[in-house]
């Protein structure tokens, strides 16, 4: 009985699997034939981050998730959803991280202000280091006092075997 079910599953997948994939490709090709819809897809894809690559938009990425997200956007465009509705859907589903340029709000302040804060911290550390170094060099360049000079002479005489 299990063998028969497995054979039926295999035969069904063999004959009807390509049909389902073909229907999806025909739908995508029809949408791609519409230049306005394709332009909207490209614009929306440029606004969304690939969650796998993280440094690419889904328009630039070839990851499976990016392909799925583009397909999802195509479906929403075909369903006459507005750009705002599509973006809102993606944000609800994946969070603000899916936006390539996340909005400035409390939770993303570190993301927006972090690079500036790190640069200012580095500049502060550099200035502090340079000031301390200058002070240390100035202290080392002063001539020896008479007491220090006589002490240095005494130490040199102790170590000199002559």
């Amino acid at each position: 009985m299990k063998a028969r079910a497995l054979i039926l599953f295999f035969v069904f997948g063999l004959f009807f699997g390509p049909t389902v994939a073909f229907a999806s490709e025909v739908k995508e090709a029809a949408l791609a034939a519409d230049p306005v819809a394709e332009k909207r897809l490209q614009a929306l894809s440029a606004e969304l981050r690939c969650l796998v690559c993280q440094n690419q938009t889904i328009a630039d990425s070839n990851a499976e998730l990016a392909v799925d997200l583009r397909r999802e956007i195509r479906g929403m465009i075909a369903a006459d959803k507005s750009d705002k509705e599509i973006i809102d859907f993606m944000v609800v589903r994946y969070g603000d991280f899916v936006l390539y340029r996340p909005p400035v709000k409390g939770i993303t302040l570190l993301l927006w202000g972090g690079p500036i804060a790190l640069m200012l911290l580095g500049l502060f550390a550099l200035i502090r280091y340079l000031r301390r170094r200058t002070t240390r060099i100035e202290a080392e360049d002063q001539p020896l006092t008479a007491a220090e000079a006589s002490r240095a002479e005494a130490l040199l005489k102790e170590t000199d075997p002559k």
Side-chain angles (χ1 to χ4, degrees):
M1 184 67 176
K2 287 183 182 180
R4 198 180 283 172
L6 186 60
I7 291 171
L8 282 173
F9 180 75
F10 178 73
V11 169
F12 181 79
L14 185 64
F15 287 109
F16 295 109
T19 306
V20 173
F22 180 71
S24 172
E25 290 171 6
V26 167
K27 181 179 175 185
E28 287 182 22
L31 230 125
D34 181 11
V36 174
E38 194 62 26
K39 189 167 180 110
R40 276 185 67 199
L41 171 70
Q42 290 302 318
L44 287 167
S45 296
E47 293 292 321
L48 299 172
R49 177 188 319 272
C50 176
L51 299 169
V52 175
C53 305
Q54 295 184 4
N55 62 344
Q56 289 182 320
T57 63
I58 62 172
D60 299 331
S61 176
N62 290 325
E64 287 183 38
L65 180 62
V67 173
D68 289 342
L69 289 175
R70 286 193 300 263
R71 188 176 309 124
E72 183 80 26
I73 292 170
R74 271 193 179 99
M76 288 188 218
I77 290 172
D80 290 329
K81 299 277 184 178
S82 71
D83 290 354
K84 182 166 177 19
E85 288 175 321
I86 295 170
I87 296 287
D88 289 345
F89 172 79
M90 292 295 180
V91 168
V92 167
R93 192 170 192 185
Y94 298 107
D96 283 332
F97 186 74
V98 77
L99 297 174
Y100 207 68
R101 289 179 294 236
V104 179
K105 56 185 182 180
I107 200 158
T108 61
L109 277 179
L110 185 60
L111 179 66
W112 283 102
I116 294 170
L118 284 175
M119 185 185 72
L120 291 175
L121 182 67
L123 186 62
F124 172 75
L126 177 67
I127 290 171
R128 189 171 176 195
Y129 168 76
L130 291 175
R131 283 186 181 165
R132 285 186 177 183
R133 183 176 151 227
T134 304
T135 305
R136 196 171 49 238
I137 290 173
E138 288 172 356
E140 290 175 359
D141 284 346
Q142 293 179 356
L144 296 176
T145 63
E148 291 172 335
S150 64
R151 174 78 178 131
E153 283 288 324
L155 288 172
L156 285 173
K157 286 180 183 176
E158 287 177 11
T159 58
D160 192 16
K162 295 182 188 177

